[in-house]
Amino acid sequence: MSAEGIRGRFEGLFERDATLVIAVLGALYLAYILAGVAFGYELRGQLNSIANLTFFIGVFGMLALALNLHWGYTGLFNIGIVGFMGIGIYTTALISKPPVGDGAAQVGGFGLPLLIGVPVGVLVTALFGLLVALPALRLRADYLAIVTVAFSEIVRFTMMSRTFQTFTVPDTISLGPLAVNPAADTVGLGGGGGLILNYTNPLEALLRALFLWEPYLGFVGFVEANVISNNPKPVLDGLLYGIVLIVFVGLFYLLLSRMGKSPFGRVLKAIREDEDVANALGKDTDRFKLTAFVVGAALMGLGGILWYSGRGSITPPSFRPNITFFIWIALIIGGAGSNTGSFLGGAIFAGLLYEGPRYFKNLVQTAFELGDAPRNFGEAMAGFASLDPMPFILYTLDSVSQLRLVIMGVVLIWLMHNRPEGLLGHRKETASSVDLARPGAGGSTGKPAAADGGEEQ
Amino acid sequence: MSETDESAAGESPPVEETAADAEPSPAGDDVSGDESSPDTDLTALVEDDPDTHAGDDDGRYAPLEVEGLRKEFGGITAVDDVSFDVEEGTLTGLIGPNGAGKSTTFNLITGMLDPTEGTVRFNGEDITGLQPHEIANRGLARTFQIARELEEMTVLENMMLAPKGQVGESLWRSVMPFVRGSVREQETEQLERVWEVLDFFEIDHLADEYAGNLSGGQRKLLEMARALLTDPDVLLLDEPFAGVNPTLEKRLLEHIHELRERGYTFLIVEHDMDLIMNNCERVIVMHQGQILKDGTPAEIKESEEVIEAYLGGEV
């Protein structure tokens, strides 16, 4: 395979997928900016809305990519995503929260920097992934689903449990010859009250690690002096965090597409299609499933950390299974089996289904200057008595946040009927590190579809 | 090797003999073929025959030996004390009426099922109870009764999956920036073999097609091609001709004969008596989980018990 051939192939891939990604993202951002204009947002409001959108595109994109490794590639039916996310952020919090003394009202942590806390969080998630996978992967797909969803609920109830609310850490822990004296005295999962994430701001920690903190502060000062006079830092923080998330999405994509486009990914696909066949062809399918599950779980842990680490606190109710199903919807929209599709699904889900309804409601209310909505369903229906649908429409609009799930359901049903393979058509990325065209035949396998790289994606 | 095979199976039917005449045994010559050498072409690859170890006392080496195999499902004994061996470079047929235990025997040999009793030996090694992938990696490949393609993978992906010892199957190699080069190199080498085998089975025009879009017969071809790429010594084919039209059946048979002449060993489960009788040099007849008769087609045809049990005494 010539270097030109490889480059040509990557260019072809880049053009096709990148165009689509840019088009979708462009449309989403444009819609949000236009909505902002309609709301009469100042620059600050616009930037806030963009930062918010970027955040959700980032987290859903990332998690959909991680789920794609489980379901799209390996066919592992994991519906316990949120459990792994929770383990990730709780571990990070436990490691990095500042220590508190004995008898403090609050639970503390070990006070280690986030640069240690985040990798440990990912690692611990991976270990829990292993713990779940070891017994469950020998079972049939539906049993794995039951085990994972039960696991994620166990995780949530453990977070809430009084038993794990606080622990007392002994003053010295001796590890063989090594005696450690952790600063922490009281740690724990915080019970129903959750944990206050009072460690260093993750963005600040990251920028300091990259020696970019001072330049960033300088930039903030510049913006304050010239563009947004009124405390622009939170807005810029949000935007920057969004960019960090997008960078992580890129890293996820790189890692996962490399995994997919290799003999490793090929075996995963074969397991998805027919495990017995893969086994009969000499592949140790249990080992492959285990590896894929653990890696995917670790990525979900990292996704959870990035989602919640910027929040002021975490509480168990944030880790209900609905998050898991949101990510599933994102993956289904995008098309399971395709990494680009997974990210696009995450972006579209975040922009249209997750955040969209609220914007739509505000937009309609701004546009039509509607009056107050009825306070309950009875009043809403009462309008029909006089053939006036207005109260009902207003009521519906007002409860649009609650109706989000209904809208998601409708979209899913529509997709299942009209495009079950997802937006991007699924399972197209050829699992190989090289172009599979006949060697020396000019990259053509005689099929026009392959000649333009169409099937080679 | 093959000359002795043919003379030993002297009374075998005409197809056998013509095949032997046409191809003067390339199999025995190339025993030093290097399996791992990537640029061996298909011919060298299939001729290469590492198992010419001194075999049993009678001089014919039997890579696959089954002894006292028994499988019980609850109260039902599906396979009952089955013993046979498959000699190198032969085409052995395993026939019997429905429910005779043929497929179960296959599954017991290939590790899909664990036998209740008995041993399976392959190239002198006890492989009873090993995992299917361990058995496959020792050089015993199988196909399935209903062709099981990896439907949402292309024909090429199906084929590329099969070769043994792919370095890129380790996660870190496929991901890390520098070692990925070695993965690419190996895949490029592998790809040449894949295309050769595709050409051999004349399914190269389907290379970019999703396996799910192939016709039944094409699937059978692909499945055999795929099994071949695992570099097996012995191929177990479970009803390779079921649902295949006569033209394709002929083609499949030609391929099988050609491969056998190159030194491959085949054990074929089949319903079609004529097909087995006309093509195999040895036939094992199973009935109600037991071996009824084991011999040359001519012997089988004359056997009273086979005619009684299997053919209902009508022939």
Side-chain angles (χ1 to χ4, degrees), chain A residues 6-281:
Chain A
I6 291 171
R7 200 170 303 132
R9 176 163 165 261
F10 276 95
E11 270 166 17
L13 176 144
F14 181 79
E15 279 164 23
R16 225 172 84 86
D17 282 2
T19 319
L20 197 61
V21 169
I22 290 169
V24 168
L25 289 185
L28 280 176
Y29 278 104
L30 190 66
Y32 273 68
I33 290 169
L34 288 179
V37 171
F39 298 148
Y41 281 164
E42 308 263 315
L43 181 61
R44 187 192 180 82
Q46 283 285 16
L47 290 180
N48 249 334
S49 132
I50 286 172
N52 189 43
L53 176 65
T54 314
F55 176 84
F56 283 111
I57 287 178
V59 290
F60 279 115
M62 234 183 296
L63 289 161
L65 277 167
L67 179 60
N68 187 38
L69 177 64
H70 279 174
W71 173 245
Y73 265 92
T74 326
L76 298 172
F77 199 2
N78 175 7
I79 45 175
I81 304 164
V82 77
F84 295 113
M85 291 166 59
I87 291 174
I89 183 62
Y90 263 78
T91 309
T92 301
L94 214 59
I95 299 287
S96 292
K97 270 167 69 70
V100 294
D102 261 329
Q106 218 213 52
V107 267
F110 289 94
L112 298 170
L114 276 173
L115 272 177
I116 297 174
V118 172
V120 171
V122 175
L123 216 65
V124 169
T125 319
L127 284 178
F128 273 95
L130 190 70
L131 196 74
V132 175
L134 272 178
L137 285 183
R138 293 175 184 279
L139 305 174
R140 281 204 349 253
D142 27 1
Y143 293 106
L144 176 68
I146 294 166
V147 170
T148 50
V149 76
F151 168 76
S152 87
E153 283 298 88
I154 290 170
V155 168
R156 188 164 66 88
F157 279 97
T158 307
M159 291 169 184
M160 283 197 290
S161 132
R162 283 174 154 274
T163 319
F164 299 102
Q165 193 163 2
T166 54
F167 296 103
T168 313
V169 179
D171 279 342
T172 44
I173 303 168
S174 52
L175 303 159
L178 205 72
V180 184
N181 182 11
D185 286 320
T186 312
V187 298
L189 302 183
L195 292 174
I196 294 169
L197 300 182
N198 50 351
Y199 44 61
T200 332
N201 180 311
L203 198 62
E204 185 180 333
L206 178 70
L207 289 177
R208 277 189 196 281
L210 298 172
F211 301 105
L212 287 173
W213 181 241
E214 295 303 326
Y216 176 63
L217 286 185
F219 175 69
V220 171
F222 170 80
V223 171
E224 187 157 19
N226 297 296
V227 192
I228 305 171
S229 50
N230 178 20
N231 186 21
K233 191 158 175 301
V235 184
L236 292 177
D237 278 358
L239 277 176
L240 190 61
Y241 197 70
I243 292 168
V244 170
L245 286 182
I246 296 297
V247 168
F248 268 99
V249 168
L251 293 176
F252 270 48
Y253 183 86
L254 194 71
L255 176 76
L256 291 169
S257 60
R258 271 181 174 245
M259 277 175 78
K261 285 175 194 165
S262 75
F264 180 81
R266 201 152 59 216
V267 177
L268 297 189
K269 268 178 140 181
I271 291 171
R272 175 191 78 199
E273 295 296 318
D274 191 331
E275 195 179 336
D276 283 344
V277 169
N279 219 335
L281 288 173

Side-chain angles (χ1 to χ4, degrees), chain B residues 85 87 112 117 198 299:
Chain B
D85 53 22
E87 286 164 353
M112 311 287 274
E117 261 173 61
L198 281 176
E299 286 167 10

Side-chain angles (χ1 to χ4, degrees), chain A residues 356-378:
Chain A
R358 200 161 51 83
Y359 272 79
F360 177 73
K361 172 193 142 194
N362 291 346
L363 208 58
V364 173
Q365 281 175 343
T366 317
F368 298 105
E369 306 250 333
L370 301 165
D372 286 338
R375 277 184 307 279
N376 58 49
F377 190 64

